[in-house]
Amino acid sequence: MNRALRIIFSRYGIVVIILVLVLGAIALASDNGRTPLTGNDVETDDSTESSEPSDEITDDDGFYTEDCEADDCYAAEELPQEAVDRAVEFAEAWLNPNGLDPDAWYDSIAPFLTTDRAELMVGVDPATLPAQSIDGDATTEASKVSIPMNTGTLILTMAEGSNSWTGGDWLVSAIDWEAS
């Protein structure tokens, strides 16, 4: 018994065990018409489906885009003025004009953010912000609001929704920065 266990747990025994398991998996998979390495169907004589590629051309470019059919989707339209106003209010709070500490600053901007974005902003130090003032009027393009700052442009993606602080309202779902 001891000798048998030594042979089984030697490197040769382990190689044999792995080989048996792999061959068994291949045998089981080929019984179901698939091989684990390719995942392709095994062709049989009575198969009516062709394995040749379809001649149908699709417009899919490989990038995922959300289908937008709801009333609150503004991909092709400009954002309403209330969304732009909300973005500017966020930008003013984001600049931290009152010199708040990180926790108080977070509390001042959180009502403007989606829940996911608010979670990402926890622990951010407002002293590291790249701008000090708004230097122009906000412009919109689809769901984005661009706000010119003294050192670049703050780009906010707006979405209609609610969070723990506010009911249904326009919220910032993404924050981007373009330095000038």
Side-chain angles (χ1 to χ4, degrees):
M1 179 69 170
N2 224 2
R3 182 169 168 76
L5 288 176
R6 254 191 264 155
I7 292 172
I8 290 173
F9 290 111
S10 71
R11 67 182 132 187
Y12 300 115
I14 292 174
V15 168
V16 169
I17 291 170
I18 292 172
L19 185 61
V20 168
L21 289 173
V22 169
L23 291 176
I26 291 173
L28 287 173
S30 61
D31 284 344
N32 294 330
R34 297 185 155 287
T35 61
L37 298 178
T38 62
N40 295 331
D41 289 336
V42 174
E43 292 187 29
T44 58
D45 294 336
D46 59 347
S47 174
T48 57
E49 294 182 22
S50 172
S51 62
E52 295 180 22
S54 170
D55 291 334
E56 183 180 327
I57 298 175
T58 62
D59 292 333
D60 186 9
D61 60 0
F63 292 101
Y64 173 76
T65 56
E66 283 189 43
D67 292 333
C68 194
E69 298 175 6
D71 291 338
D72 60 342
C73 180
Y74 293 94
E77 302 175 18
E78 290 297 315
L79 286 171
Q81 188 59 42
E82 63 190 60
V84 177
D85 293 343
R86 187 93 169 136
V88 171
E89 288 176 38
F90 168 79
E92 290 168 350
W94 181 76
L95 288 171
N96 195 20
N98 300 324
L100 301 173
D101 65 70
D103 292 332
W105 175 76
Y106 173 80
D107 291 341
S108 72
I109 65 167
F112 295 97
L113 302 170
T114 61
T115 304
D116 293 342
R117 181 57 47 192
E119 289 174 6
L120 293 172
M121 295 298 287
V122 172
V124 172
D125 185 1
T128 63
L129 296 178
Q132 291 78 35
S133 64
I134 296 175
D135 278 358
D137 294 331
T139 59
T140 62
E141 183 179 328
S143 63
K144 297 180 187 274
V145 178
S146 298
I147 303 170
M149 302 278 179
N150 63 322
T151 58
T153 304
L154 180 65
I155 303 168
L156 305 173
T157 303
M158 303 301 290
E160 234 176 340
S162 63
N163 58 21
S164 303
W165 301 273
T166 61
D169 206 347
W170 285 97
L171 301 172
V172 177
S173 63
I175 303 169
D176 292 315
W177 177 257
E178 284 183 7
S180 55

